[in-house]
Amino acid sequence: QLTAGAGATYTPQLNGLGRYGTANQQQFFTYNNTTINSTAANPGVQVRFFPNLTYFWGPFGAYAEAGWSTTGVKGTTQVGRRTVNTSANLNDFAWQAAVSYMLPGENSSFRAIRPRRAFNPSEGAWGAFQIAARAGQLQVDCDTFEIYSDPNTQAEQSTTAGVAVNWILNDNLKFTLGYDWTSFVGGAPNAGTRPATYVVTTQLQLSF
């Protein structure tokens, strides 16, 4: 089963500028405090477009998406002794792809997985297992730096790869063990690059 979709937004940004983080919520990019994209009289505008594809065939599943975001910003820069107001439309781009495989022989789905045999060791039933891998990248517009964000502390690109095992015990309980590696471009003084991160995560999910 192959499914294609897309989403788009065009909206004034009245609540300030956002920030970017890794898959494990470690922030690697934010704007300078002097950068704004909204005022009471002239709110900035953000445009986003996100196409995506999903594919499922028996126990195999795949997902891919890309995202383009254009944000109008305003800032200030020093020209000699003068402070000059500046503005720009900044274009950021991101993509991610993921694949998964269900064990033992369960069908993969975009919806919540329901094991054929819920966890019950006395009957030799262990639920379902899913192995997964993913990769993704986010690129910040290079025109962002110096005026709108500090290249000595904020990265202009992150690339992530990860693997995970999901143990789905029954319709309500799932345990996840994951490992993610993230590298960066920029984000350190003197045009340096901040160190890569390596993270192991666990999650126990209970749903009703």
Side-chain angles (χ1 to χ4, degrees):
Q1 180 183 359
L2 177 65
T3 304
T9 61
Y10 179 91
T11 179
Q13 293 295 290
L14 299 174
N15 298 317
L17 291 161
R19 57 192 64 189
Y20 294 135
T22 67
N24 297 293
Q25 307 304 312
Q26 294 180 317
Q27 181 181 307
F28 68 87
F29 173 84
T30 188
Y31 292 92
N32 292 333
N33 292 333
T34 56
T35 301
I36 62 172
N37 75 330
S38 62
T39 65
N42 186 19
V45 170
Q46 186 171 63
V47 181
R48 293 177 174 177
F49 177 61
F50 294 94
N52 63 78
L53 288 172
T54 58
Y55 177 71
F56 296 106
W57 182 52
F60 176 78
Y63 176 80
E65 71 172 346
W68 288 264
S69 175
T70 298
T71 304
V73 298
K74 298 177 182 180
T76 59
T77 186
Q78 292 295 126
V79 179
R81 295 183 179 180
R82 294 186 302 123
T83 299
V84 178
N85 295 323
T86 63
S87 63
N89 288 320
L90 302 176
N91 302 295
D92 301 338
F93 172 72
W95 63 267
Q96 71 167 340
V99 294
S100 63
Y101 192 84
M102 295 296 304
L103 299 170
E106 305 275 353
N107 287 328
S108 189
S109 173
F110 192 72
R111 299 178 180 178
I113 303 297
R114 303 185 65 179
R116 294 179 181 176
R117 301 184 67 196
F119 179 76
N120 189 341
S122 64
E123 296 183 1
W126 300 95
F129 292 87
Q130 181 185 53
I131 54 176
R134 66 179 177 184
Q137 187 176 83
L138 186 147
Q139 299 173 341
V140 179
D141 193 324
C142 60
D143 291 338
T144 304
F145 294 95
E146 297 295 345
I147 296 178
Y148 306 107
S149 186
D150 184 359
N152 293 310
T153 59
Q154 309 303 312
E156 64 180 88
Q157 178 178 294
S158 73
T159 302
T160 298
V163 293
V165 177
N166 297 313
W167 181 14
I168 306 161
L169 289 83
N170 52 46
D171 294 352
N172 309 108
L173 190 61
K174 180 174 75 172
F175 175 76
T176 298
L177 175 64
Y179 172 80
D180 285 288
W181 161 86
T182 303
S183 67
F184 303 95
V185 173
N190 303 315
T193 292
R194 68 167 58 187
T197 63
Y198 309 86
V199 179
V200 175
T201 57
T202 60
Q203 181 184 51
L204 184 64
Q205 179 179 323
L206 181 63
S207 60
F208 297 94

